[in-house]
Amino acid sequence: MQLLPLVHPSEDLTNDEISRYSRHLLIPDVGLEGQQRLKNSRVLVIGAGGLGSPVLLYLAAAGVGTLGIIDFDIVDESNLQRQIIHGQSDIGRFKSRSAKDSVNELNPYVHVQLHNERLEATNAVEIISGYDLIVDGTDNFSTRYLVNDACVLAEKPYVWGSIFRFEGQASVFWENAPGGGGLNYRDLYPEPPPSEMAPSCAEGGVLGILCASIGAIMATEAIKLITGLGDTLLGRLAVYDALDMTYRFIPIRRAPVRTPITGLIDYQEFCGQKRAVTDSKTDVPVISALELKKMRESGTDLQLIDVRGIEEWNIVHIEGANHIPKNKIMSEDVLSQFNKEDFIVLHCKMGVRSKDVLFEMRKQGFTNVKSLDGGILAWIRDVDRSLPRY
């Protein structure tokens, strides 16, 4: 769908900017006016991770005048396989500050605005309202629905993308698009999937270079929206399969039953990341890595069960643990092999999947089960730093 330019052109370009952007200026469809629109634009990029990295670098190189960055995470060594805006020396730094330095090094003419706060329902509309366009590179459903609803309320278009293993998706959403018939993320995904059916890249993995493929699409769509070039992905879902090297474009229609978005909600609860508290049994009994270490050293009779996937087990595991993946241990046939009174400690990577298993085991009558708080990453951090992190 072709749209009018989102941003008015700036007054002029300096001689240095003309030299820097000359290859854009030589394209008749972009030209001086298109570059002036880029210079005058304000784009907020949510997430400076796998998708945010190429988006930020290419929008900075293209000459977007103001880039806003929201990311509260810290650079970890495992990020460097795909988050190319960060380097080895950035490990331990805030991703937002690392990304700002990279953008400034690439293009000193771009103003970078950092938002040193977590995007929440209390501030999302206010922050988003200060920009012409939003680019969502987050990796969890609760933030995606928050961004979508805030953009609807602020009447802002946004570019969205997601990646998992070898596949990526991208689209453009704009509920208030000129001419009517606009779409939002809820037209594509009216309801979030169950939390156990939506593993993150930290759990399921992702081919690093996939970020470049989808991030390039997202940056391209942003430039097209700013300048009014070509047909955007509004109303279409782009699906890329890196293994087959195929692109598919699927039409997106307005959901038959739509609930108007009139305000922001509790998105963690909406996405099933909060369990309703019905009685004291819903409290998750956890054990710290140091407590588990002391119990094992003292000879406490317990079973330590690793519920991660086999790929994760092969990377690193705790000596003496038994490996039973989550999808197997949650079956009645497997659970029937355990004594329901035995002391069992479950663990995964960070503690999310093990808690899901714990709740299922409680339903089956197990009374003495705990989850390792923070998962194997906590064990590596607090007990055995010789093991590799991932």
Short mmCIF file of all heavy atoms in Angstrom, two decimals, residues 319-346:
data_model
loop_
_atom_site.label_atom_id
_atom_site.label_comp_id
_atom_site.label_asym_id
_atom_site.label_seq_id
_atom_site.Cartn_x
_atom_site.Cartn_y
_atom_site.Cartn_z
N GLU A 319 26.47 -31.42 36.73
CA GLU A 319 26.85 -32.81 36.97
C GLU A 319 25.89 -33.46 37.96
O GLU A 319 25.55 -32.89 38.99
CB GLU A 319 28.28 -32.87 37.52
CG GLU A 319 28.82 -34.28 37.69
CD GLU A 319 30.25 -34.32 38.16
OE1 GLU A 319 30.87 -33.23 38.25
OE2 GLU A 319 30.74 -35.43 38.46
N GLY A 320 25.42 -34.64 37.60
CA GLY A 320 24.51 -35.38 38.47
C GLY A 320 23.05 -35.13 38.19
O GLY A 320 22.19 -35.80 38.79
N ALA A 321 22.74 -34.19 37.30
CA ALA A 321 21.34 -33.92 36.96
C ALA A 321 20.83 -34.97 35.98
O ALA A 321 21.60 -35.55 35.21
CB ALA A 321 21.21 -32.53 36.36
N ASN A 322 19.53 -35.20 36.01
CA ASN A 322 18.86 -36.06 35.03
C ASN A 322 18.19 -35.18 33.99
O ASN A 322 17.61 -34.14 34.33
CB ASN A 322 17.81 -36.94 35.71
CG ASN A 322 18.42 -37.93 36.66
OD1 ASN A 322 19.46 -38.52 36.36
ND2 ASN A 322 17.80 -38.12 37.81
N HIS A 323 18.27 -35.60 32.72
CA HIS A 323 17.70 -34.79 31.66
C HIS A 323 16.38 -35.37 31.19
O HIS A 323 16.32 -36.47 30.66
CB HIS A 323 18.67 -34.71 30.46
CG HIS A 323 18.13 -33.90 29.33
ND1 HIS A 323 18.07 -34.37 28.02
CD2 HIS A 323 17.61 -32.65 29.30
CE1 HIS A 323 17.55 -33.45 27.25
NE2 HIS A 323 17.27 -32.40 28.01
N ILE A 324 15.30 -34.61 31.43
CA ILE A 324 13.97 -34.98 30.93
C ILE A 324 13.35 -33.69 30.38
O ILE A 324 12.91 -32.84 31.15
CB ILE A 324 13.06 -35.57 32.02
CG1 ILE A 324 13.78 -36.70 32.77
CG2 ILE A 324 11.76 -36.10 31.40
CD1 ILE A 324 12.96 -37.27 33.91
N PRO A 325 13.33 -33.51 29.05
CA PRO A 325 12.81 -32.27 28.47
C PRO A 325 11.38 -31.96 28.92
O PRO A 325 10.60 -32.88 29.24
CB PRO A 325 12.87 -32.53 26.97
CG PRO A 325 13.90 -33.58 26.80
CD PRO A 325 13.80 -34.45 28.03
N LYS A 326 11.06 -30.71 28.93
CA LYS A 326 9.76 -30.23 29.40
C LYS A 326 8.60 -30.94 28.72
O LYS A 326 7.63 -31.35 29.36
CB LYS A 326 9.66 -28.72 29.19
CG LYS A 326 8.31 -28.12 29.55
CD LYS A 326 8.27 -26.64 29.23
CE LYS A 326 6.87 -26.08 29.43
NZ LYS A 326 6.79 -24.65 29.07
N ASN A 327 8.68 -31.10 27.39
CA ASN A 327 7.55 -31.70 26.67
C ASN A 327 7.34 -33.16 27.03
O ASN A 327 6.25 -33.71 26.83
CB ASN A 327 7.75 -31.55 25.17
CG ASN A 327 8.98 -32.28 24.66
OD1 ASN A 327 9.95 -32.46 25.40
ND2 ASN A 327 8.96 -32.69 23.41
N LYS A 328 8.35 -33.81 27.58
CA LYS A 328 8.22 -35.21 27.99
C LYS A 328 7.80 -35.35 29.44
O LYS A 328 6.93 -36.14 29.78
CB LYS A 328 9.52 -35.96 27.75
CG LYS A 328 9.88 -36.16 26.28
CD LYS A 328 11.13 -37.02 26.12
CE LYS A 328 11.45 -37.24 24.65
NZ LYS A 328 12.66 -38.09 24.47
N ILE A 329 8.41 -34.57 30.31
CA ILE A 329 8.15 -34.73 31.74
C ILE A 329 6.73 -34.31 32.11
O ILE A 329 6.17 -34.77 33.11
CB ILE A 329 9.19 -33.96 32.60
CG1 ILE A 329 9.13 -34.44 34.05
CG2 ILE A 329 8.95 -32.46 32.51
CD1 ILE A 329 10.23 -33.88 34.92
N MET A 330 6.10 -33.48 31.30
CA MET A 330 4.75 -33.01 31.62
C MET A 330 3.68 -34.02 31.23
O MET A 330 2.49 -33.76 31.41
CB MET A 330 4.49 -31.65 30.97
CG MET A 330 5.32 -30.53 31.58
SD MET A 330 5.03 -28.90 30.86
CE MET A 330 3.45 -28.47 31.56
N SER A 331 4.08 -35.17 30.68
CA SER A 331 3.11 -36.20 30.32
C SER A 331 2.83 -37.09 31.53
O SER A 331 3.71 -37.31 32.38
CB SER A 331 3.63 -37.05 29.16
OG SER A 331 4.71 -37.85 29.57
N GLU A 332 1.61 -37.59 31.63
CA GLU A 332 1.23 -38.43 32.77
C GLU A 332 2.05 -39.71 32.82
O GLU A 332 2.36 -40.21 33.90
CB GLU A 332 -0.27 -38.74 32.70
CG GLU A 332 -1.16 -37.53 32.95
CD GLU A 332 -2.62 -37.91 33.03
OE1 GLU A 332 -2.90 -39.11 33.22
OE2 GLU A 332 -3.47 -37.02 32.90
N ASP A 333 2.41 -40.25 31.65
CA ASP A 333 3.17 -41.50 31.61
C ASP A 333 4.52 -41.35 32.30
O ASP A 333 4.97 -42.23 33.04
CB ASP A 333 3.36 -41.97 30.17
CG ASP A 333 2.07 -42.45 29.54
OD1 ASP A 333 1.13 -42.75 30.30
OD2 ASP A 333 2.00 -42.53 28.30
N VAL A 334 5.19 -40.22 32.05
CA VAL A 334 6.51 -39.99 32.66
C VAL A 334 6.36 -39.67 34.14
O VAL A 334 7.10 -40.19 34.99
CB VAL A 334 7.26 -38.87 31.92
CG1 VAL A 334 8.55 -38.51 32.64
CG2 VAL A 334 7.54 -39.27 30.47
N LEU A 335 5.40 -38.82 34.48
CA LEU A 335 5.23 -38.44 35.88
C LEU A 335 4.84 -39.63 36.75
O LEU A 335 5.16 -39.66 37.95
CB LEU A 335 4.18 -37.33 35.99
CG LEU A 335 4.58 -35.96 35.44
CD1 LEU A 335 3.43 -34.97 35.59
CD2 LEU A 335 5.82 -35.43 36.14
N SER A 336 4.16 -40.59 36.17
CA SER A 336 3.75 -41.76 36.95
C SER A 336 4.92 -42.59 37.43
O SER A 336 4.78 -43.43 38.33
CB SER A 336 2.81 -42.64 36.11
OG SER A 336 3.49 -43.20 35.00
N GLN A 337 6.12 -42.36 36.86
CA GLN A 337 7.30 -43.12 37.25
C GLN A 337 7.98 -42.56 38.50
O GLN A 337 8.92 -43.16 39.02
CB GLN A 337 8.29 -43.16 36.09
CG GLN A 337 7.74 -43.78 34.81
CD GLN A 337 8.69 -43.65 33.64
OE1 GLN A 337 9.90 -43.52 33.81
NE2 GLN A 337 8.15 -43.70 32.44
N PHE A 338 7.53 -41.38 38.97
CA PHE A 338 8.14 -40.76 40.15
C PHE A 338 7.27 -40.96 41.38
O PHE A 338 6.05 -41.08 41.29
CB PHE A 338 8.32 -39.25 39.90
CG PHE A 338 9.32 -38.91 38.84
CD1 PHE A 338 8.93 -38.71 37.53
CD2 PHE A 338 10.67 -38.78 39.15
CE1 PHE A 338 9.84 -38.39 36.55
CE2 PHE A 338 11.59 -38.47 38.19
CZ PHE A 338 11.19 -38.28 36.88
N ASN A 339 7.94 -40.97 42.53
CA ASN A 339 7.24 -40.97 43.81
C ASN A 339 6.80 -39.54 44.11
O ASN A 339 7.63 -38.62 44.13
CB ASN A 339 8.16 -41.49 44.91
CG ASN A 339 7.43 -41.69 46.22
OD1 ASN A 339 6.56 -40.91 46.60
ND2 ASN A 339 7.80 -42.74 46.94
N LYS A 340 5.53 -39.34 44.39
CA LYS A 340 4.99 -38.00 44.55
C LYS A 340 5.46 -37.31 45.83
O LYS A 340 5.28 -36.11 45.99
CB LYS A 340 3.46 -38.04 44.51
CG LYS A 340 2.92 -38.45 43.14
CD LYS A 340 1.40 -38.41 43.09
CE LYS A 340 0.92 -38.77 41.68
NZ LYS A 340 -0.56 -38.74 41.57
N GLU A 341 6.07 -38.06 46.75
CA GLU A 341 6.57 -37.45 47.98
C GLU A 341 8.07 -37.16 47.92
O GLU A 341 8.61 -36.51 48.82
CB GLU A 341 6.30 -38.36 49.19
CG GLU A 341 4.83 -38.38 49.63
CD GLU A 341 3.96 -39.20 48.71
OE1 GLU A 341 4.43 -40.24 48.23
OE2 GLU A 341 2.82 -38.77 48.45
N ASP A 342 8.77 -37.64 46.89
CA ASP A 342 10.21 -37.41 46.79
C ASP A 342 10.53 -35.93 46.62
O ASP A 342 9.75 -35.18 46.01
CB ASP A 342 10.79 -38.19 45.61
CG ASP A 342 10.92 -39.68 45.89
OD1 ASP A 342 10.71 -40.07 47.06
OD2 ASP A 342 11.20 -40.44 44.96
N PHE A 343 11.69 -35.52 47.13
CA PHE A 343 12.14 -34.14 46.96
C PHE A 343 12.75 -33.99 45.57
O PHE A 343 13.75 -34.63 45.25
CB PHE A 343 13.16 -33.80 48.05
CG PHE A 343 13.65 -32.37 47.99
CD1 PHE A 343 12.87 -31.35 47.45
CD2 PHE A 343 14.90 -32.04 48.48
CE1 PHE A 343 13.33 -30.04 47.40
CE2 PHE A 343 15.38 -30.73 48.44
CZ PHE A 343 14.58 -29.74 47.91
N ILE A 344 12.13 -33.15 44.75
CA ILE A 344 12.55 -32.97 43.37
C ILE A 344 12.85 -31.50 43.12
O ILE A 344 12.06 -30.61 43.49
CB ILE A 344 11.46 -33.44 42.38
CG1 ILE A 344 11.19 -34.95 42.57
CG2 ILE A 344 11.87 -33.16 40.93
CD1 ILE A 344 10.02 -35.46 41.74
N VAL A 345 14.00 -31.22 42.51
CA VAL A 345 14.36 -29.86 42.11
C VAL A 345 14.41 -29.81 40.59
O VAL A 345 15.15 -30.57 39.96
CB VAL A 345 15.72 -29.43 42.70
CG1 VAL A 345 16.10 -28.04 42.18
CG2 VAL A 345 15.67 -29.44 44.22
N LEU A 346 13.62 -28.94 40.02
CA LEU A 346 13.57 -28.77 38.57
C LEU A 346 14.40 -27.55 38.18
O LEU A 346 14.45 -26.56 38.92
CB LEU A 346 12.13 -28.56 38.11
CG LEU A 346 11.11 -29.62 38.52
CD1 LEU A 346 9.69 -29.10 38.24
CD2 LEU A 346 11.35 -30.91 37.75
#
